[in-house]
Amino acid sequence: MSLSRQVRFLAQPPRLAAPEPDTLLQLADQCVKCGYCLPVCPTFRLEHTEAESPRGRIALIQGWLTDSLPASPVLLRHLDQCLECRACEAACPSLVHFGRLMDGARTLRQARSPWWRRWPRLAWLDLLSQPRWLLLLAPLGLLLRKAGIGRLSNPSSRSWPSLLLRLGAAVHAPRRVGASMPSQAEHSSNSSPHDSSRALSSDLSAPTTAASAPPVGLFLGCIARATQGASIDAARRLLAQLGIPFDEPSAQGCCGALHRHHGFTAAANRQLAVNAKAFGERRVIGFSSACMLELQTSEAISAQEICAFLANSQALAQARPRPLSARVLVHEPCSQRLLPGGASAIYQLLGRIPALDVQPLPGNDSCCGAAGTYLIEHSHTALALLEPKLGALRTLQPDYLLTTNTGCALHLASGLANAGLAIPVLHPVELLERQLRADAED
């Protein structure tokens, strides 16, 4: 949100559209309270408290919407603690749309809140969804940490200094593990698909195929643009290597997921509309599973996660990656498991690399704790959910850890760095692209 827009917002805050309570109650009433969701809910498994389960949260929403329970800080905290991983939906015999219910409840909560309480939250999300601001906020968090403020900060605090501290730690951890930012000289976001193919294909091993198909649109995201330069660069190189024409509309923006899951549905829908206009008729591909899941909610956008797109590519079937004698563990993000086909395309892609030992990371059925801004705003719980995965990584000691979601990559890399484990966290596309490069190391 620009400064002028924020000034207008403060002077005359808009009313927020929200779902009717009766609509949410109809969704909630589908729950028969059987309890099948409890064993698969990460927060319930951690806390063993009914209010930290999907069934308990549905009961709290029903009590709140029927005025049987006040919207107390305790009630709202239990709703906030939900990761929206939606593991409960797969276990539910009544097919409760829990994610839709939780998004709706959060939207109604924001609509009922005074504007002066909503505005800081919206401003925080607007800043996070703009790469240039994220690149400024993260170093500020590191400066606060170096100044010793981190020792005084409550791990569960949601104050601005505490949030900045955790943001700085999360954003800069992947660089310690070895990711690099792309060179802007190598690729311009305004270049044509043919220009980008020529610029990037000179150092790749296999010949590119004729670019006769219409270009696909490469979705860059917001946080990913500031933190996953290596993944973006690898995707560009791989598409060029395979002769797949692509472009990157400069008008694209945030997918809207951050705003939607915090109850700012109208802002999320506006961001979807911006992307629909920017990409037009192009098929949209992206390397962050959460972004693709959000873009797929728009009927105006044809979006596909890049691993699934490449797995069905004839160009990839003709490619010959170099062998790699290494062991990789695959982390399957919750959003990836919710996409059509789940994580199967990841294993198909990695199966193209000879001699590569590919195994799923133990505990993939449970959320790692990243969940958008959850790793920053609920860091204590996020770290507790991450610990079993770190334990598996300590035991198995893979050469690489692969994941397809930006937030998960940040959370995993930060945890590995703090645990002293020098395991690179990569996107599957990065590993595949390395093995197709002529200068790839054996």
Side-chain angles (χ1 to χ4, degrees):
M1 183 183 291
S2 65
L3 179 61
S4 60
R5 284 181 60 198
Q6 291 187 24
V7 170
R8 290 197 299 271
F9 182 96
L10 288 169
Q12 189 176 7
R15 294 177 61 86
L16 292 186
E20 292 293 330
D22 286 346
T23 302
L24 296 179
L25 282 171
Q26 288 178 4
L27 288 173
D29 288 345
Q30 286 182 259
C31 176
V32 297
K33 309 299 190 293
C34 65
Y36 285 170
C37 58
L38 272 63
V40 301
C41 177
T43 54
F44 177 79
R45 287 158 64 173
L46 191 65
E47 302 292 344
H48 300 287
T49 302
E50 180 72 20
E52 287 295 318
S53 73
R55 181 175 67 180
R57 291 185 173 107
I58 289 175
L60 291 176
I61 290 172
Q62 289 171 317
W64 169 46
L65 295 181
T66 58
D67 295 325
S68 300
L69 293 174
S72 66
V74 173
L75 184 148
L76 296 177
R77 184 171 66 249
H78 287 306
L79 298 186
D80 285 345
Q81 282 277 103
C82 176
L83 296 143
E84 284 207 64
C85 66
R86 293 169 56 188
C88 54
E89 292 187 0
C92 179
S94 300
L95 304 180
V96 175
H97 296 284
F98 185 80
R100 191 187 307 171
L101 173 62
M102 185 58 65
D103 284 340
R106 289 174 174 175
T107 301
L108 184 60
R109 172 189 173 185
Q110 294 296 350
R112 290 182 174 181
S113 298
W115 70 268
W116 49 267
R117 183 169 292 169
R118 295 197 310 262
W119 182 82
R121 167 67 47 185
L122 183 58
W124 168 247
L125 296 174
D126 284 340
L127 290 174
L128 287 181
S129 62
Q130 298 182 46
R132 63 182 182 275
W133 284 110
L134 183 61
L135 288 172
L136 290 174
L137 289 173
L140 179 58
L142 288 182
L143 288 176
L144 291 173
R145 181 178 294 273
K146 290 182 179 179
I149 296 178
R151 293 191 297 270
L152 305 177
S153 176
N154 185 338
S156 62
S157 172
R158 298 176 73 174
S159 66
W160 281 86
S162 296
L163 292 176
L164 288 175
L165 281 165
R166 296 193 286 271
L167 176 65
V171 167
H172 285 274
R175 299 182 187 178
R176 294 197 295 268
V177 180
S180 61
M181 297 298 289
S183 169
Q184 292 300 319
E186 291 186 20
H187 186 86
S188 168
S189 62
N190 296 318
S191 64
S192 71
H194 303 291
D195 291 338
S196 60
S197 295
R198 284 199 299 267
L200 291 169
S201 61
S202 60
D203 63 343
L204 300 170
S205 58
T208 55
T209 58
S212 58
V216 296
L218 184 60
F219 183 78
L220 303 179
C222 50
I223 294 178
R225 259 187 279 188
T227 61
Q228 285 196 294
S231 297
I232 295 174
D233 200 27
R236 291 166 175 163
R237 288 179 174 274
L238 184 57
L239 292 172
Q241 159 71 0
L242 298 175
I244 299 173
F246 70 97
D247 55 15
E248 302 169 13
S250 58
Q252 65 175 291
C254 174
C255 69
L258 286 178
H259 289 76
R260 187 175 308 282
H261 298 320
H262 283 81
F264 295 99
T265 301
N269 291 338
R270 285 195 297 270
Q271 290 169 327
L272 282 177
V274 166
N275 285 307
K277 183 178 180 180
F279 285 98
E281 298 298 321
R282 302 175 186 85
R283 178 188 295 187
V284 181
I285 60 173
F287 48 86
S288 181
S289 56
C291 294
M292 293 300 101
L293 189 64
E294 174 66 19
L295 292 180
Q296 288 182 4
T297 64
S298 171
E299 295 181 355
I301 301 175
S302 174
Q304 191 173 23
E305 194 271 326
I306 193 169
C307 292
F309 171 79
L310 292 172
N312 296 319
S313 167
Q314 292 183 350
L316 182 62
Q318 301 171 4
R320 296 293 180 267
R322 296 161 63 91
L324 178 62
S325 181
R327 185 184 192 188
V328 303
L329 292 181
V330 177
H331 168 258
E332 301 173 11
C334 303
S335 50
Q336 182 72 48
R337 294 161 68 87
L338 290 167
L339 288 169
S344 60
I346 300 174
Y347 296 97
Q348 286 181 253
L349 283 190
L350 297 175
R352 304 282 308 167
I353 303 176
L356 188 65
D357 179 13
V358 182
Q359 300 293 332
L361 176 67
N364 271 336
D365 60 334
S366 184
C367 182
C368 70
T373 61
Y374 199 97
L375 77 164
I376 301 171
E377 299 177 348
H378 302 276
S379 61
H380 180 76
T381 303
L383 291 174
L385 293 172
L386 181 64
E387 184 53 40
K389 300 184 188 301
L390 293 178
L393 290 165
R394 287 189 194 96
T395 301
L396 299 174
Q397 291 289 323
D399 297 295
Y400 301 98
L401 174 63
L402 306 185
T403 188
T404 54
N405 189 55
T406 301
C408 299
L410 293 174
H411 193 37
L412 289 162
S414 178
L416 287 168
N418 290 333
L421 297 172
I423 301 173
V425 180
L426 305 178
H427 193 284
V429 163
E430 291 183 69
L431 201 60
L432 181 60
E433 184 271 331
R434 286 183 185 184
Q435 297 313 113
L436 283 172
R437 260 190 275 169
D439 61 351
E441 297 179 359
D442 290 322

